[in-house]
Amino acid sequence: MPIIDNAIYRDGVRDAHPVTLDLTFEDLRDHGGFAWIGMYRPTDEELRAVAVEFGLHPLAVEDALKGHQRPKLERFGDTLFVVLRPARYLDGPEEVEFGEVHLFIGPNFAVTIRHAESPDLGRVRKRLEKTPELLTLGPQSVLYAVLDEVVDQYLPVITGLENDIDEIEDQLFNRDPSVLRRIYELAGETMAFQRATHPLVGMLRSLEAGFAKYDVDIELQRNLRDVLDHSLKVVERADSFRAVLENALTVQSTLVMQRQNDEMRNLSETSIRQGDQVKKISGWAAILFVPTLIAAIYGMNFRYMPELEWTFGYPLALLLMLGSAVALYFVFRRRDWL
């Protein structure tokens, strides 16, 4: 159902639990207090009924209906419109899943709208109901409680990403071929995590700047400053993860280039050895070619050939073959072919 929980709080306790929005509006007008309406992917009709009753700005209502908004904090008169991007780490697929929560915080109402399964705002409500001293501070206590829950959920994400990065460092030097893909996937998750967490710091600082103007209770100020401190730590860790992944990518590129250089050097050495073998073969072939040519000419047995019947013709042919072979041997040896 779109309406998950609907209650009216007075003096820090749940005083009414109307079954319809109309009864909520009527009770709130008649008896005061503040309403906390929790919705999950509400229909256009339901959200616009809330918008008409509480005077929500049309642009904020349109954003809440569409979803897929960046984290932001906007003030429309006496109403705050807040968009948060909670995250949780999934151990099975080892990836980060992002949600989306919208809040409308007014003088006598808090409307929370979830567009994903996380965070569990029912748990936030139960925890806040156990601290009546906070609930007596009104709708701003709901804003603090949701902010605190979202930031607390970032801590397991930090731990999960840290473990994944440690695994990458091991894979790098084990020459795992899948490490490059994993680095890019983690880099994408880290960038998405930064987009979810970075705006929180500015949002909380804006709230801090309005403490005096909007007469925020001192205890609530302390709690919101504590959330700011935690947010700063989360942002710093996320930034450090991105730097580590960039370094890992550089190391991976260096290792790939080193392997390529080794392969090229091996190929070059092999080519050089093959070239030496070819030169040796060519040299011996040339040495054997000249005697073979001479022997072939004088072995054709024609009747009228020079020196055919000469007494020294045969020794001279042998000497010519041997001399040419020796001469070619020394020529090739001098050129390092042999």
Side-chain angles (χ1 to χ4, degrees):
M1 296 293 293
I3 300 177
I4 303 301
D5 202 348
N6 177 22
I8 296 176
Y9 297 88
R10 299 183 182 95
D11 299 322
V13 296
R14 182 191 286 246
D15 191 53
H17 189 178
V19 294
T20 67
L21 288 176
D22 289 336
L23 291 174
T24 301
F25 303 150
E26 184 179 347
D27 193 319
L28 194 61
R29 285 192 295 265
D30 293 342
H31 303 99
F34 81 91
W36 182 354
I37 302 171
M39 312 180 83
Y40 176 68
R41 294 178 179 172
T43 63
D44 182 271
E45 180 182 355
E46 287 175 325
L47 185 54
R48 294 199 183 280
V50 173
V52 170
E53 178 65 25
F54 295 135
L56 304 182
H57 196 280
L59 292 177
V61 173
E62 184 178 354
D63 288 345
L65 282 171
K66 289 182 178 179
H68 305 290
Q69 303 296 312
R70 61 178 178 81
K72 60 183 177 180
L73 183 149
E74 296 177 341
R75 186 175 290 277
F76 299 94
D78 57 0
T79 300
L80 276 175
F81 174 57
V82 181
V83 179
L84 301 173
R85 295 300 305 274
R88 61 176 178 173
Y89 185 80
L90 305 178
D91 292 319
E94 293 187 337
E95 61 184 26
V96 181
E97 180 185 79
F98 295 92
E100 187 171 348
V101 175
H102 296 188
L103 296 93
F104 292 92
I105 306 297
N108 63 342
F109 64 88
V111 180
T112 55
I113 302 169
R114 283 191 298 121
H115 286 275
E117 295 300 323
S118 65
D120 185 357
L121 296 184
R123 182 175 60 194
V124 176
R125 188 186 291 260
K126 290 177 182 177
R127 188 172 68 244
L128 195 56
E129 287 176 349
K130 293 178 181 178
T131 54
E133 63 276 9
L134 271 179
L135 270 174
T136 56
L137 302 179
Q140 290 183 348
S141 64
V142 177
L143 174 61
Y144 154 70
V146 175
L147 283 168
D148 188 52
E149 175 70 12
V150 169
V151 173
D152 284 347
Q153 282 196 359
Y154 288 151
L155 300 180
V157 176
I158 289 288
T159 302
L161 289 174
E162 191 172 39
N163 291 336
D164 289 344
I165 291 173
D166 289 341
E167 292 174 2
I168 278 181
E169 291 176 349
D170 295 334
Q171 288 177 296
L172 270 177
F173 296 100
N174 290 333
R175 298 193 174 187
D176 189 332
S178 65
V179 67
L180 185 60
R181 180 185 182 90
R182 187 61 178 135
I183 290 174
Y184 275 110
E185 289 174 349
L186 266 179
E189 290 180 356
T190 302
M191 290 175 64
F193 189 60
Q194 285 181 306
R195 287 194 294 269
T197 57
H198 268 256
L200 263 180
V201 175
M203 293 160 60
L204 288 163
R205 290 200 186 281
S206 296
L207 289 174
E208 186 180 33
F211 284 166
K213 181 178 180 180
Y214 296 102
D215 193 25
V216 178
D217 183 85
I218 187 64
E219 189 62 31
L220 198 56
Q221 292 183 31
R222 294 192 184 102
N223 290 334
L224 287 171
R225 287 195 178 101
D226 183 63
V227 175
L228 175 59
D229 289 340
H230 292 168
S231 299
L232 287 170
K233 293 176 182 177
V234 168
V235 168
E236 288 172 2
R237 295 290 295 280
D239 290 345
S240 69
F241 289 162
R242 185 169 181 180
V244 169
L245 288 171
E246 289 175 353
N247 290 336
L249 192 59
T250 302
V251 170
Q252 170 66 5
S253 300
T254 302
L255 291 174
V256 169
M257 290 180 63
Q258 183 179 354
R259 289 197 292 269
Q260 290 176 341
N261 290 337
D262 291 341
E263 292 174 0
M264 290 298 296
R265 184 169 61 252
N266 292 335
L267 286 174
S268 299
E269 291 175 354
T270 302
S271 298
I272 291 171
R273 287 195 297 270
Q274 289 177 343
D276 291 340
Q277 295 297 327
V278 169
K279 287 191 290 186
K280 288 181 180 180
I281 294 171
S282 301
W284 285 113
I287 290 171
L288 295 175
F289 173 73
V290 174
T292 302
L293 177 64
I294 295 172
I297 293 174
Y298 281 91
M300 289 188 292
N301 297 322
F302 286 102
R303 181 178 180 83
Y304 300 103
M305 291 182 66
E307 299 89 18
L308 187 62
E309 296 182 356
W310 184 35
T311 304
F312 301 101
Y314 180 66
L316 182 62
L318 292 176
L319 184 62
L320 183 60
M321 287 188 282
L322 179 61
S324 61
V326 171
L328 286 173
Y329 174 82
F330 283 108
V331 169
F332 291 137
R333 185 65 180 268
R334 187 179 304 157
R335 296 176 179 270
D336 292 329
W337 279 40
L338 296 175

